[in-house]
Amino acid sequence: MDTSSARYDLADAARSALFRLAAEYNQRAAGRIIHVLQRRQASGVFGGDYDHKSLWDELCHDAQNGPHFDDDPWGGMLDALLQKEVKRLTAAEFDALWLAALPDVGDLRTASRDVGVIKEEFRAALLQRAGERNLERFEVW
């Protein structure tokens, strides 16, 4: 009886687990950033056209209907929040998220250990949630 097709592929299972773990961490980081943004008063950048109460409301609006601005008004603030999330990571967590976020590289030993790839994964999770949020209650007309 040939059992080779039923053999457990450890490398494939580890890769799948790594990606699932990274997705969970990305969502947790996004959740913590959302929590902060929900507690910060709206800047009023959209004027009286919408009844936004928090920066989270405005970010969701911009993610779904924008971008409305030539420059990125969220960049500096979001970058600081994303950086704070990266700093929360243990060395092992950083390694796991870095590996999951890396594009295919020839040699991991020489790949740049840039925090930017992790921050971009956190940002993508945040913007995905912003894009999925129902904003109908904010329309005032």
Side-chain angles (χ1 to χ4, degrees), residues 53 67 97 129:
K53 303 288 188 229
L97 295 178
R129 288 175 66 175

Side-chain angles (χ1 to χ4, degrees), residues 14 25 42 53-54 58 61 64 77 88 94 99 121 123:
Y25 269 88
K53 303 288 188 229
S54 69
E58 290 178 336
H61 179 97
Q64 292 180 27
M77 176 192 52
R88 292 174 56 108
F94 181 91
L99 286 169
E121 292 294 316
R123 180 187 302 270

Side-chain angles (χ1 to χ4, degrees), residues 61-120:
H61 179 97
D62 199 45
Q64 292 180 27
N65 302 298
H68 290 90
F69 311 100
D70 292 334
D71 60 342
D72 181 10
W74 315 108
M77 176 192 52
L78 282 185
D79 193 59
L81 294 171
L82 294 164
Q83 184 64 33
K84 182 178 177 183
E85 288 300 317
V86 171
K87 286 183 177 185
R88 292 174 56 108
L89 299 172
T90 66
E93 292 167 340
F94 181 91
D95 288 345
L97 295 178
W98 177 74
L99 286 169
L102 271 180
D104 290 331
V105 295
D107 187 352
L108 283 175
R109 293 172 295 188
T110 60
S112 172
R113 297 184 59 78
D114 180 21
V115 300
V117 294
I118 296 174
K119 285 169 44 176
E120 283 308 310

Side-chain angles (χ1 to χ4, degrees), residues 3-10:
T3 59
S4 61
S5 63
R7 278 202 288 185
Y8 185 69
D9 184 350
L10 180 60

Side-chain angles (χ1 to χ4, degrees), residues 12 58 64 126 137:
D12 190 47
E58 290 178 336
Q64 292 180 27
L126 177 69
R137 67 187 177 120

